[in-house]
Amino acid sequence: MAKQRLTSAFCRDIMCPPHKRKEVYRCTEVIGFGLEVRATSKTYWLYYTKPDGKAAQLKIGGYRDVPFDVAKRKAKELRSQIVLGGNLAAEKAARKGTITYKELAQMHIDH
């Protein structure tokens, strides 16, 4: 892991070192914002500490899918939620626990 001022140009130009599987660059401006660089992909992440003290990370999006400015803004928003007492891990688990329409339809058919 390397500390680096992440910019749009840096994210565009950086390549994974040939002797490593991946390299993570953490932003010096936005706490927790990072870029994971692999040989075939680049991904924006937010690294943070959960309320129970364990380290966690949340994928913001792929470099090709999310513009740098949008990813940085999203990292700031998520960081604000954490500072204000939000629990991103619990919110994500609750979203994943929501029943889908397909599951509901199957339950209806089975009943």
Side-chain angles (χ1 to χ4, degrees):
M1 178 185 69
K3 292 273 187 175
Q4 174 71 38
R5 180 174 177 263
L6 295 184
T7 63
S8 181
F10 175 82
C11 293
R12 179 191 65 227
D13 297 337
I14 194 68
M15 302 296 283
C16 187
H19 61 283
K20 290 190 174 183
R21 203 174 117 242
K22 72 175 183 179
E23 183 70 41
V24 176
Y25 297 92
R26 300 278 292 266
C27 186
T28 56
E29 291 180 335
V30 179
I31 297 171
F33 182 47
L35 177 71
E36 179 184 277
V37 180
R38 294 179 180 261
T40 59
S41 67
K42 300 176 190 177
T43 308
Y44 298 113
W45 291 88
L46 177 69
Y47 299 91
Y48 66 101
T49 303
K50 295 191 288 188
D52 63 3
K54 294 184 180 178
Q57 60 190 38
L58 182 68
K59 183 177 179 178
I60 296 172
Y63 169 78
R64 294 183 187 273
D65 301 326
V66 182
F68 173 77
D69 295 336
V70 174
K72 188 173 180 179
R73 188 175 334 114
K74 184 66 175 178
K76 286 179 181 180
E77 290 171 12
L78 293 169
R79 175 88 179 133
S80 295
Q81 289 177 15
I82 293 166
V83 169
L84 295 173
N87 187 343
L88 299 180
E91 292 170 15
K92 182 178 178 181
R95 280 194 312 271
K96 286 189 168 205
T98 304
I99 191 168
T100 64
Y101 181 76
K102 181 179 179 180
E103 294 167 335
L104 179 63
Q106 187 61 48
M107 288 169 56
H108 178 72
I109 291 168
D110 292 343
H111 189 277

